[in-house]
Amino acid sequence: MNEKEIEVLEIIEHNGRQSIDTIAKMIDLSVEETAEIIKHLEDKKVIVEYAAVIDWAKVEGDSTIKAMIDVKVTPKREVGFDEIARRIYRYDEVKSVYLMSGAYDLSVTVEGKSMAQVAQFVSEKLSTLDSVLSTTTHFIMKQYKHDGTIFDEGDSDKRIVVSP
Amino acid sequence: MSDRFLSKTASDLEPSGIRRFFDLAASMEGVISLGVGEPDFTTSWKIREASILSLEEGYTSYTANPGIPELRQEIAYYYASKYNTAYDPLEEVLVTVGASQAIDLAIRAIVNPGDEVIVVRPSFVSYLPVVQLVGGVPVPVDTTDVTHFIPTVEQIEAAITERTKAILICSPNNPTGTVMDKKSLADLAELCVAHDLVVISDEIYSELSYDEPHTSIASLDGMKERTIIINGFSKGFAMTGWRLGFALGPEAIVQAMLKIHQYTTMCASTTAQYGALEALRNGWDDVVHMKKSYQRRRNYIVRSFEEIGLPCHKPGGAFYAFPSIRPTGLSSVEFAEALLNEEKVAVVPGNVFGPSGEGHIRCSYASSMDHLQEAIRRMERFVSSYLASSQEEASEAVSTKP
């Protein structure tokens, strides 16, 4: 991957809504060249999706509950952890799945409308899968930082308006 | 209070042109500022934490006058590894209260009343006054965008007299963003050796050089023994409020600077020095990250200025663009005031950096992309109205000719 492609990715990762015109100026290429780079990265699925980071805690009436679940599983011959991971990530409730080193095997993030709904998913769906040996559920109480974005810090500019 | 209490030196000093503009901009709401001369990043957490730790451990007393030895050691190592210039950390390195104090000390250490100091302009607002404060005579050499604000050998040579003591340069430059290339520095170095002059090299923006690695004039042949390097933590490490700078130079000069420093200031802030130590040891990833971010914003703002009709040379460093506003027919003060009043965008009129800055405005791109984009939208609206009216005036003038 060349330097300009990486620059595009860094810019888009920070702000997926940045216009092609602006990105082109930032990386010092023409709009056409930049559009071509972006299309190429989209086609190769390097850019997988354009998402927003949202602080749902600020949305009135939102009752989304998030939990991170440590899952111990039995890997299967030839397919290792991949098969069980695929079975888990297909559930709508599951937002992310990572294979981990250390005390447990899979880290699974689950969302639900209530603690009861999450608990029900874990006890009835996740725990009952054949390869799953055990689960430990941690409910997320408050989100301070997500994907590099700090949620509870004001970003006011403390500088004076004009300075030498 | 009566003016009779004031010293003649203080009375004769011109107030900074930026100050007047600051008062105007600060009184308005909703201003997008491109007038700031400092990073928009907050000092990285690891540096802040190192300072907090130093307080927790009770480092609250004076340090040695020239700075804590470990910091001087790291500063010497920084210059040795980056520029291959060896400085003795005990005798040739001085930690100061910002680069501003280092400039003041350098001037005070070498200039006698009546000595001339050549200052390349457009220049940072304090260079001329600090020379005047010691009874020296600043001799401006005015550069233009024709040479990308780089002085020619002929210009410098023409300014040299038998009273010339030193030349003060700043690269990358505030306000133009110009980086003096190696050839220009070599030409200048040759002149300085031939005429036995000191160079005061303000390298405060050295970490923000985008298109080529920064060259310190002290690293060129015959220059280490006649160069006083001024640098600091404000710009590269986003530590402006910490007021921590440093100087490197020949032992005799640095020791003279140290005498003045110990009698007037004692030492730089202890807490800030421990933060700076962490910066030099472990802060380089953040410098790379910030530099990359500035570079992209530089590219964006320069192309945008060109598109909206303000010709702009591509600055190689610092975080300032210095576009020409001549197509609007306005002076730099008129432009800046009207832009502030009509569109609430603050920029600094170029003439505050010397007469050669007239016809330009200094725009800091140390602002978020959102702010820069909005500033460009507003400036486009502003500039297009003036461009239209200046074109109308031109065509009327043509049509009324007999």
Side-chain angles (χ1 to χ4, degrees):
Chain A
M1 194 161 295
N2 68 39
E3 201 182 312
K4 295 290 183 189
E5 288 174 324
I6 291 169
E7 280 211 76
V8 167
L9 292 175
E10 286 173 353
I11 292 166
I12 286 178
E13 188 178 38
H14 182 65
N15 180 2
R17 296 190 70 202
Q18 202 65 273
S19 71
I20 292 179
D21 178 59
T22 299
I23 297 170
K25 285 176 183 162
M26 290 170 82
I27 63 172
D28 217 6
L29 289 180
S30 70
V31 172
E32 293 73 26
E33 288 167 322
T34 308
E36 203 171 297
I37 287 177
I38 292 174
K39 178 155 190 331
H40 176 68
L41 293 168
E42 287 170 347
D43 289 346
K44 283 182 74 179
K45 292 276 177 203
V46 179
I47 297 171
V48 183
E49 198 169 82
Y50 295 88
V53 178
I54 292 165
D55 187 355
W56 284 104
K58 289 184 178 149
V59 179
E60 217 172 309
D62 180 74
S63 57
T64 305
I65 300 289
K66 282 185 187 168
M68 296 179 77
I69 300 151
D70 310 341
V71 186
K72 281 187 185 171
V73 299
T74 311
K76 284 191 173 169
R77 188 185 291 259
E78 293 191 0
V79 291
F81 294 95
D82 295 351
E83 188 187 86
I84 181 65
R86 279 190 202 110
R87 289 199 67 179
I88 292 172
Y89 70 53
R90 288 198 173 104
Y91 286 108
D92 287 342
E93 294 90 336
V94 172
K95 299 301 168 189
S96 67
V97 178
Y98 303 106
L99 178 63
M100 310 295 288
S101 65
Y104 57 94
D105 304 306
L106 297 174
S107 176
V108 178
T109 309
V110 172
E111 278 184 19
K113 288 290 169 199
S114 64
M115 284 176 80
Q117 193 186 44
V118 172
Q120 191 179 12
F121 171 77
V122 174
S123 61
E124 292 181 8
K125 303 274 176 54
L126 199 55
S127 303
T128 56
L129 290 170
D130 273 353
S131 305
V132 171
L133 297 172
S134 71
T135 62
T136 309
T137 303
H138 312 274
F139 284 101
I140 293 172
M141 313 286 281
K142 184 175 176 180
Q143 195 158 261
Y144 293 98
K145 188 175 181 180
H146 178 76
D147 273 357
T149 304
I150 294 172
F151 279 54
D152 65 343
E153 190 180 66
D155 59 350
S156 64
D157 195 337
K158 297 176 181 71
R159 299 173 299 170
I160 52 179
V161 185
V162 177
S163 65
Chain B
M1 193 184 77
S2 171
D3 286 354
R4 72 190 172 86
F5 293 136
L6 300 179
S7 74
K8 185 170 180 329
T9 313
S11 295
D12 288 351
L13 276 185
E14 289 287 325
S16 161
I18 289 183
R19 190 74 231 167
R20 191 180 70 81
F21 199 70
F22 163 74
D23 292 337
L24 183 63
S27 66
M28 296 173 74
E29 289 282 316
V31 171
I32 291 189
S33 180
L34 305 184
V36 282
E38 58 181 322
D40 61 326
F41 295 97
T42 308
T43 310
S44 83
W45 177 242
K46 62 168 80 78
I47 296 172
R48 288 187 272 163
E49 200 180 33
S51 285
I52 293 168
L53 184 66
S54 78
L55 289 173
E56 285 176 348
E57 290 183 348
Y59 289 101
T60 57
S61 48
Y62 295 128
T63 69
N65 296 127
I68 54 176
E70 306 95 300
L71 179 56
R72 281 181 281 152
Q73 183 77 54
E74 287 295 338
I75 291 166
Y77 176 70
Y78 166 41
Y79 264 76
S81 57
K82 186 168 180 187
Y83 301 103
N84 203 22
T85 49
Y87 285 93
D88 177 352
L90 296 180
E91 307 294 341
E92 296 178 319
V93 179
L94 175 63
V95 177
T96 60
V97 181
S100 293
Q101 193 216 357
I103 295 166
D104 184 35
L105 291 174
I107 297 285
R108 287 210 251 179
I110 62 168
V111 174
N112 295 309
D115 284 350
E116 294 176 355
V117 177
I118 293 173
V119 179
V120 178
R121 291 197 301 194
S123 66
F124 178 52
V125 291
S126 77
Y127 292 162
L128 267 59
V130 292
V131 175
Q132 289 166 326
L133 278 169
V134 294
V137 180
V139 178
V141 165
D142 289 306
T143 62
T144 67
D145 50 5
V146 176
T147 59
H148 295 284
F149 301 103
I150 294 176
T152 63
V153 174
E154 293 74 24
Q155 276 184 299
I156 300 281
E157 197 148 34
I160 295 173
T161 72
E162 58 186 21
R163 300 219 61 119
T164 306
K165 190 70 170 280
I167 298 179
L168 207 169
I169 59 170
C170 176
S171 173
N173 182 273
N174 174 9
T176 64
T178 290
V179 175
M180 287 183 74
D181 57 89
K182 215 166 180 175
K183 168 79 170 59
S184 309
L185 289 171
D187 290 346
L188 183 62
E190 206 174 305
L191 264 188
C192 292
V193 172
H195 293 271
D196 197 20
L197 303 178
V198 176
V199 171
I200 300 171
S201 178
D202 185 346
E203 301 178 3
I204 188 70
Y205 292 98
S206 60
E207 287 304 324
L208 305 178
S209 180
Y210 306 119
D211 303 322
E212 54 187 88
H214 177 256
T215 302
S216 172
I217 194 167
S219 66
L220 304 182
D221 284 348
M223 290 307 294
K224 184 172 172 279
E225 58 265 38
R226 59 179 66 255
T227 303
I228 309 171
I229 293 169
I230 308 293
N231 209 323
F233 298 86
S234 292
K235 314 296 181 174
F237 291 101
M239 293 173 68
T240 52
W242 298 62
R243 307 314 304 127
L244 207 67
F246 56 86
L248 304 105
E251 182 178 339
I253 295 179
V254 170
Q255 292 306 308
M257 290 168 69
L258 173 60
K259 278 194 286 184
I260 304 165
H261 175 71
Q262 73 186 11
Y263 289 134
T264 54
T265 310
M266 191 70 78
C267 64
S269 147
T270 305
T271 311
Q273 288 190 57
Y274 281 99
L277 186 60
E278 175 68 12
L280 285 180
R281 284 178 175 168
N282 299 308
W284 294 104
D285 287 349
D286 296 306
V287 176
V288 170
H289 166 73
M290 291 189 275
K291 179 178 160 181
K292 193 182 275 186
S293 175
Y294 291 134
Q295 184 171 3
R296 287 176 189 149
R297 294 184 245 172
R298 186 264 320 242
N299 294 343
Y300 169 76
I301 202 166
V302 169
R303 283 240 310 247
S304 297
F305 280 144
E306 292 281 353
E307 278 183 13
I308 67 177
L310 300 180
C312 186
H313 81 284
K314 194 174 187 179
F319 37 61
Y320 306 110
F322 204 60
S324 167
I325 46 99
R326 291 190 190 102
T328 63
L330 300 172
S331 73
S332 63
V333 170
E334 287 167 346
F335 185 98
E337 288 187 353
L339 179 65
L340 185 62
N341 288 321
E342 291 174 31
E343 294 288 355
K344 292 192 173 182
V345 176
V347 298
V348 180
N351 75 332
V352 307
F353 307 102
S356 53
E358 183 50 58
H360 295 266
I361 48 169
R362 190 192 74 175
C363 300
S364 161
Y365 47 85
S367 276
S368 69
M369 274 304 296
D370 285 348
H371 277 179
L372 291 182
Q373 286 172 291
E374 179 57 24
I376 288 291
R377 272 191 286 274
R378 295 182 189 187
M379 288 177 81
E380 181 173 25
R381 201 158 50 207
F382 175 83
V383 169
S384 61
S385 70
Y386 280 89
L387 288 182
S389 61
S390 64
Q391 276 167 1
E392 270 172 32
E393 277 171 26
S395 62
E396 273 174 26
V398 170
S399 63
T400 54
K401 270 186 180 174

